Amino acid sequence: MTYRVCIPTAGTGSRLGELTRYVNKSLVSIANRPTLCHLIEQFADDVEFVIALGHKGHLVREFIELTYPQRIFFFVDVSPFEGPGSGLGLTMLACKQHLQQPFVFLSCDTLVDEPIPAPDRNWMAFAESGDLSPYRTLLIDEGVVRDICEKGEGSPSAHRPYIGLAGIYDHQAFWSAMEQGGGKAIETGEAHGLRALLNQRIDAVAFTWHDTGNMAALNKTRDALREAGEPNILEKANEAIWFIGDHVVKFSDDAKFIANRVKRVAELKGFVPDVTASRPHMYCYNKVPGRVLSEIVTLPLFQRLLEHSQSFWVRHDLSGDALAHHRKLCDRFYREKTQERVQLFYSNFDCQDGTQPINGVGMPTLGELFGMVDWAWLSNGLPGRFHGDFHFENILWDASARKFTFLDWRQDFGGDLSTGDIYYDLAKLLHGLIISHELIARECFWVQWSDTEIRFDFHRKQMLVECERHFGAWISDCGYDRRKVWVLTALVYLNIAALHHHPYSLLLYALGKSMLFKELSHERD
């Protein structure tokens, strides 16, 4: 049976807090895919979808057009989607023109394990729950819905939670009730129209339910749907990497970020995947065979990577004004950006520059440490082709093809798409040898921060420790400035501290400051 599914995504998703600041709630990640993927892929290929758009609706549309070009979607813009006059009922009525046939209503925060039946009869979905208070409930008798009750009205002995999933066969009666319901229908949503079908029979269908509508439920769902061997990706509010079938999608709320990423593929061709399609806020490429280097690295393989990277880091011969401009970019990138990010860290996490000892070592303020850095020396880098986020989580090794592929390249270096500082790639590589994303994701670290002292520790993989030692020797053998790499790595930690979650952010700041102090102290010695 060919039919349509209505998925309302217009709401702001306020119960998910910062997760919906930059994306629509239907794009919040579960098992490294947007929730919307899990919803769409529950249905056969010939099923059509009506998607109601509101908050960050352009991102929902971009994502669907990019990743499901062969499927049929009808998009409806809802206005207003928040504030006075808004409501799920208004969203439903906006979709009415595309739903003049039996259809399935599916809330965008409802995932289920079982197959979803066609709307060849009226039915409503329920699940078992010990606490009915947060939910609208169904009075069920002999498999039939006898009543639809508002929150707080149901009793555990006779009622079950309604989970925002229903098949609507008698669509004409449904829409008649919605149109005549006025403000009550707008506020109540699809349940208002479904109440009009109670005298025609609504079957009750049980499901195993995974809620994604609030943070506690979302975290529980993420744990339940976590896939074995999925990549270790540290979540950012305004960026995401999604894995959909044979494709990888990179998202950013910054359109310039995406545009520059796509442009840089030509600069990096042969080392990074080819972009197959793009939209203003996302691009996609075919999934590359291989394994993330952090999972399989050995010292011989690491040495092979270093040799391969030497052919990637093609130096650019700059002189005169071009060289002066590059050094100015480096200074802005290292000094000014770091100072801005540190101020953002203080603001985000209610901290301030202090002199607390770190792991028992006395410290000056970070401002005093910055005053000790020779920024001119640091900014006198190695102009050349660059990756920009060069660490093991962004490097794949295909053993059968004997090939490395670099992923998630940076969009620019201080605004320059072609020329960056090779020393920055070296520093990013070192930062990933010291801090393992996998162990951070498993919370294998601790940090204590007070007005009188800061203490931290984190687990490390022995192989990464050995790679760090090897890397230090290789740096010297190749004639690179070892101290510059280590100072830049300290600045990398200080830069990214503001961008990550608490308390990992505190660890990054403390590690960056203590590492910078150690390197500058060695210089004075």
mmCIF file of all heavy atoms in Angstrom, residues 293 298-311 397-399 401-404 406 470 474:
data_model
loop_
_atom_site.group_PDB
_atom_site.id
_atom_site.type_symbol
_atom_site.label_atom_id
_atom_site.label_comp_id
_atom_site.label_asym_id
_atom_site.label_seq_id
_atom_site.Cartn_x
_atom_site.Cartn_y
_atom_site.Cartn_z
ATOM 1 N N LEU A 293 42.710 5.392 12.094
ATOM 2 C CA LEU A 293 44.078 5.041 12.473
ATOM 3 C C LEU A 293 44.230 4.831 13.979
ATOM 4 O O LEU A 293 45.058 4.025 14.414
ATOM 5 C CB LEU A 293 45.042 6.125 11.986
ATOM 6 C CG LEU A 293 46.518 5.737 11.912
ATOM 7 C CD1 LEU A 293 46.728 4.553 10.983
ATOM 8 C CD2 LEU A 293 47.347 6.926 11.434
ATOM 9 N N THR A 298 50.218 1.115 14.614
ATOM 10 C CA THR A 298 51.435 0.491 15.132
ATOM 11 C C THR A 298 52.578 1.445 14.788
ATOM 12 O O THR A 298 52.413 2.364 13.968
ATOM 13 C CB THR A 298 51.696 -0.872 14.471
ATOM 14 O OG1 THR A 298 51.870 -0.667 13.056
ATOM 15 C CG2 THR A 298 50.531 -1.835 14.718
ATOM 16 N N LEU A 299 53.720 1.238 15.370
ATOM 17 C CA LEU A 299 54.842 2.124 15.055
ATOM 18 C C LEU A 299 55.227 2.067 13.574
ATOM 19 O O LEU A 299 55.469 3.119 12.959
ATOM 20 C CB LEU A 299 56.041 1.787 15.937
ATOM 21 C CG LEU A 299 55.961 2.317 17.387
ATOM 22 C CD1 LEU A 299 57.196 1.876 18.168
ATOM 23 C CD2 LEU A 299 55.842 3.832 17.404
ATOM 24 N N PRO A 300 55.275 0.885 12.942
ATOM 25 C CA PRO A 300 55.576 0.882 11.499
ATOM 26 C C PRO A 300 54.523 1.625 10.679
ATOM 27 O O PRO A 300 54.862 2.329 9.716
ATOM 28 C CB PRO A 300 55.614 -0.614 11.144
ATOM 29 C CG PRO A 300 55.974 -1.293 12.433
ATOM 30 C CD PRO A 300 55.289 -0.488 13.499
ATOM 31 N N LEU A 301 53.248 1.472 11.055
ATOM 32 C CA LEU A 301 52.189 2.164 10.316
ATOM 33 C C LEU A 301 52.270 3.669 10.547
ATOM 34 O O LEU A 301 52.045 4.464 9.625
ATOM 35 C CB LEU A 301 50.817 1.629 10.738
ATOM 36 C CG LEU A 301 49.615 2.142 9.935
ATOM 37 C CD1 LEU A 301 49.789 1.860 8.441
ATOM 38 C CD2 LEU A 301 48.319 1.520 10.457
ATOM 39 N N PHE A 302 52.621 4.073 11.754
ATOM 40 C CA PHE A 302 52.778 5.491 12.040
ATOM 41 C C PHE A 302 53.934 6.078 11.225
ATOM 42 O O PHE A 302 53.825 7.179 10.664
ATOM 43 C CB PHE A 302 53.011 5.693 13.538
ATOM 44 C CG PHE A 302 53.135 7.128 13.957
ATOM 45 C CD1 PHE A 302 52.211 8.084 13.555
ATOM 46 C CD2 PHE A 302 54.184 7.542 14.770
ATOM 47 C CE1 PHE A 302 52.333 9.407 13.943
ATOM 48 C CE2 PHE A 302 54.313 8.859 15.169
ATOM 49 C CZ PHE A 302 53.385 9.798 14.756
ATOM 50 N N GLN A 303 55.023 5.353 11.140
ATOM 51 C CA GLN A 303 56.149 5.814 10.334
ATOM 52 C C GLN A 303 55.736 5.933 8.871
ATOM 53 O O GLN A 303 56.120 6.880 8.177
ATOM 54 C CB GLN A 303 57.338 4.855 10.473
ATOM 55 C CG GLN A 303 58.536 5.203 9.610
ATOM 56 C CD GLN A 303 59.122 6.577 9.906
ATOM 57 O OE1 GLN A 303 59.084 7.047 11.047
ATOM 58 N NE2 GLN A 303 59.653 7.235 8.871
ATOM 59 N N ARG A 304 54.932 4.982 8.395
ATOM 60 C CA ARG A 304 54.439 5.038 7.015
ATOM 61 C C ARG A 304 53.595 6.293 6.804
ATOM 62 O O ARG A 304 53.680 6.950 5.763
ATOM 63 C CB ARG A 304 53.630 3.773 6.714
ATOM 64 C CG ARG A 304 53.218 3.626 5.258
ATOM 65 C CD ARG A 304 52.308 2.426 5.071
ATOM 66 N NE ARG A 304 52.035 2.199 3.666
ATOM 67 C CZ ARG A 304 52.552 1.229 2.933
ATOM 68 N NH1 ARG A 304 53.401 0.367 3.490
ATOM 69 N NH2 ARG A 304 52.241 1.098 1.652
ATOM 70 N N LEU A 305 52.765 6.627 7.801
ATOM 71 C CA LEU A 305 51.960 7.844 7.711
ATOM 72 C C LEU A 305 52.852 9.078 7.627
ATOM 73 O O LEU A 305 52.585 9.986 6.817
ATOM 74 C CB LEU A 305 51.035 7.954 8.924
ATOM 75 C CG LEU A 305 50.310 9.305 9.068
ATOM 76 C CD1 LEU A 305 49.287 9.481 7.950
ATOM 77 C CD2 LEU A 305 49.659 9.435 10.438
ATOM 78 N N LEU A 306 53.861 9.150 8.455
ATOM 79 C CA LEU A 306 54.748 10.312 8.441
ATOM 80 C C LEU A 306 55.431 10.472 7.085
ATOM 81 O O LEU A 306 55.548 11.593 6.561
ATOM 82 C CB LEU A 306 55.785 10.194 9.557
ATOM 83 C CG LEU A 306 55.229 10.234 10.991
ATOM 84 C CD1 LEU A 306 56.338 9.955 12.005
ATOM 85 C CD2 LEU A 306 54.561 11.568 11.283
ATOM 86 N N GLU A 307 55.849 9.362 6.497
ATOM 87 C CA GLU A 307 56.479 9.421 5.182
ATOM 88 C C GLU A 307 55.471 9.878 4.130
ATOM 89 O O GLU A 307 55.796 10.689 3.249
ATOM 90 C CB GLU A 307 57.055 8.047 4.822
ATOM 91 C CG GLU A 307 58.220 7.623 5.710
ATOM 92 C CD GLU A 307 58.604 6.165 5.521
ATOM 93 O OE1 GLU A 307 57.910 5.463 4.733
ATOM 94 O OE2 GLU A 307 59.565 5.705 6.170
ATOM 95 N N HIS A 308 54.257 9.351 4.203
ATOM 96 C CA HIS A 308 53.196 9.741 3.266
ATOM 97 C C HIS A 308 52.862 11.225 3.425
ATOM 98 O O HIS A 308 52.632 11.929 2.428
ATOM 99 C CB HIS A 308 51.953 8.879 3.520
ATOM 100 C CG HIS A 308 50.783 9.209 2.649
ATOM 101 N ND1 HIS A 308 50.743 8.941 1.307
ATOM 102 C CD2 HIS A 308 49.584 9.793 2.947
ATOM 103 C CE1 HIS A 308 49.590 9.329 0.801
ATOM 104 N NE2 HIS A 308 48.863 9.856 1.775
ATOM 105 N N SER A 309 52.844 11.685 4.661
ATOM 106 C CA SER A 309 52.472 13.074 4.922
ATOM 107 C C SER A 309 53.495 14.049 4.360
ATOM 108 O O SER A 309 53.149 15.187 4.005
ATOM 109 C CB SER A 309 52.317 13.303 6.433
ATOM 110 O OG SER A 309 51.301 12.466 6.960
ATOM 111 N N GLN A 310 54.728 13.629 4.277
ATOM 112 C CA GLN A 310 55.751 14.507 3.708
ATOM 113 C C GLN A 310 55.425 14.857 2.251
ATOM 114 O O GLN A 310 55.721 15.959 1.787
ATOM 115 C CB GLN A 310 57.126 13.838 3.788
ATOM 116 C CG GLN A 310 57.701 13.745 5.200
ATOM 117 C CD GLN A 310 58.181 15.093 5.734
ATOM 118 O OE1 GLN A 310 57.426 16.058 5.782
ATOM 119 N NE2 GLN A 310 59.439 15.145 6.142
ATOM 120 N N SER A 311 54.780 13.923 1.541
ATOM 121 C CA SER A 311 54.374 14.227 0.163
ATOM 122 C C SER A 311 53.124 15.095 0.135
ATOM 123 O O SER A 311 52.848 15.753 -0.876
ATOM 124 C CB SER A 311 54.120 12.926 -0.616
ATOM 125 O OG SER A 311 53.001 12.222 -0.068
ATOM 126 N N TRP A 397 43.019 4.184 7.241
ATOM 127 C CA TRP A 397 43.991 3.312 6.590
ATOM 128 C C TRP A 397 43.252 2.122 5.991
ATOM 129 O O TRP A 397 42.572 1.375 6.697
ATOM 130 C CB TRP A 397 45.056 2.834 7.571
ATOM 131 C CG TRP A 397 45.935 1.729 7.062
ATOM 132 C CD1 TRP A 397 45.977 0.439 7.496
ATOM 133 C CD2 TRP A 397 46.914 1.821 6.002
ATOM 134 N NE1 TRP A 397 46.910 -0.277 6.804
ATOM 135 C CE2 TRP A 397 47.506 0.537 5.873
ATOM 136 C CE3 TRP A 397 47.329 2.847 5.167
ATOM 137 C CZ2 TRP A 397 48.497 0.271 4.935
ATOM 138 C CZ3 TRP A 397 48.318 2.576 4.223
ATOM 139 C CH2 TRP A 397 48.893 1.311 4.124
ATOM 140 N N ASP A 398 43.345 1.986 4.682
ATOM 141 C CA ASP A 398 42.768 0.847 3.967
ATOM 142 C C ASP A 398 43.889 -0.157 3.727
ATOM 143 O O ASP A 398 44.735 0.043 2.847
ATOM 144 C CB ASP A 398 42.159 1.327 2.645
ATOM 145 C CG ASP A 398 41.492 0.196 1.856
ATOM 146 O OD1 ASP A 398 41.593 -0.964 2.284
ATOM 147 O OD2 ASP A 398 40.879 0.496 0.812
ATOM 148 N N ALA A 399 43.903 -1.220 4.524
ATOM 149 C CA ALA A 399 45.011 -2.177 4.458
ATOM 150 C C ALA A 399 45.061 -2.887 3.114
ATOM 151 O O ALA A 399 46.149 -3.171 2.589
ATOM 152 C CB ALA A 399 44.885 -3.188 5.593
ATOM 153 N N ALA A 401 44.125 -1.783 0.117
ATOM 154 C CA ALA A 401 44.619 -0.875 -0.932
ATOM 155 C C ALA A 401 45.930 -0.210 -0.547
ATOM 156 O O ALA A 401 46.525 0.497 -1.372
ATOM 157 C CB ALA A 401 43.573 0.194 -1.238
ATOM 158 N N ARG A 402 46.366 -0.418 0.714
ATOM 159 C CA ARG A 402 47.587 0.215 1.232
ATOM 160 C C ARG A 402 47.521 1.723 1.035
ATOM 161 O O ARG A 402 48.421 2.353 0.496
ATOM 162 C CB ARG A 402 48.838 -0.355 0.550
ATOM 163 C CG ARG A 402 48.894 -1.859 0.430
ATOM 164 C CD ARG A 402 48.965 -2.535 1.776
ATOM 165 N NE ARG A 402 50.261 -2.364 2.416
ATOM 166 C CZ ARG A 402 50.546 -2.802 3.653
ATOM 167 N NH1 ARG A 402 49.587 -3.382 4.381
ATOM 168 N NH2 ARG A 402 51.741 -2.626 4.160
ATOM 169 N N LYS A 403 46.424 2.313 1.521
ATOM 170 C CA LYS A 403 46.171 3.722 1.228
ATOM 171 C C LYS A 403 45.657 4.454 2.456
ATOM 172 O O LYS A 403 44.787 3.964 3.178
ATOM 173 C CB LYS A 403 45.148 3.852 0.093
ATOM 174 C CG LYS A 403 44.813 5.279 -0.284
ATOM 175 C CD LYS A 403 43.754 5.336 -1.378
ATOM 176 C CE LYS A 403 43.407 6.779 -1.723
ATOM 177 N NZ LYS A 403 42.344 6.862 -2.762
ATOM 178 N N PHE A 404 46.179 5.666 2.675
ATOM 179 C CA PHE A 404 45.644 6.579 3.681
ATOM 180 C C PHE A 404 44.647 7.530 3.022
ATOM 181 O O PHE A 404 44.838 7.953 1.873
ATOM 182 C CB PHE A 404 46.762 7.428 4.309
ATOM 183 C CG PHE A 404 47.724 6.673 5.164
ATOM 184 C CD1 PHE A 404 48.996 6.370 4.697
ATOM 185 C CD2 PHE A 404 47.369 6.268 6.444
ATOM 186 C CE1 PHE A 404 49.900 5.688 5.489
ATOM 187 C CE2 PHE A 404 48.273 5.572 7.247
ATOM 188 C CZ PHE A 404 49.537 5.276 6.763
ATOM 189 N N PHE A 406 42.592 11.176 4.196
ATOM 190 C CA PHE A 406 42.448 12.206 5.219
ATOM 191 C C PHE A 406 41.019 12.745 5.190
ATOM 192 O O PHE A 406 40.496 13.089 4.119
ATOM 193 C CB PHE A 406 43.436 13.352 4.985
ATOM 194 C CG PHE A 406 44.883 12.937 4.962
ATOM 195 C CD1 PHE A 406 45.836 13.711 4.308
ATOM 196 C CD2 PHE A 406 45.304 11.766 5.591
ATOM 197 C CE1 PHE A 406 47.171 13.346 4.281
ATOM 198 C CE2 PHE A 406 46.637 11.383 5.569
ATOM 199 C CZ PHE A 406 47.577 12.168 4.910
ATOM 200 N N HIS A 470 58.258 8.414 19.271
ATOM 201 C CA HIS A 470 58.758 8.269 17.910
ATOM 202 C C HIS A 470 58.615 9.588 17.148
ATOM 203 O O HIS A 470 59.522 9.991 16.402
ATOM 204 C CB HIS A 470 57.992 7.154 17.196
ATOM 205 C CG HIS A 470 58.479 6.874 15.810
ATOM 206 N ND1 HIS A 470 59.553 6.076 15.543
ATOM 207 C CD2 HIS A 470 58.031 7.310 14.593
ATOM 208 C CE1 HIS A 470 59.764 6.006 14.231
ATOM 209 N NE2 HIS A 470 58.848 6.758 13.631
ATOM 210 N N TRP A 474 61.395 11.869 15.283
ATOM 211 C CA TRP A 474 61.228 12.130 13.850
ATOM 212 C C TRP A 474 61.244 13.629 13.567
ATOM 213 O O TRP A 474 61.848 14.069 12.582
ATOM 214 C CB TRP A 474 59.915 11.500 13.387
ATOM 215 C CG TRP A 474 59.605 11.690 11.933
ATOM 216 C CD1 TRP A 474 60.049 10.933 10.885
ATOM 217 C CD2 TRP A 474 58.780 12.714 11.364
ATOM 218 N NE1 TRP A 474 59.548 11.415 9.697
ATOM 219 C CE2 TRP A 474 58.757 12.505 9.960
ATOM 220 C CE3 TRP A 474 58.048 13.771 11.894
ATOM 221 C CZ2 TRP A 474 58.038 13.326 9.097
ATOM 222 C CZ3 TRP A 474 57.332 14.582 11.038
ATOM 223 C CH2 TRP A 474 57.331 14.373 9.654
#
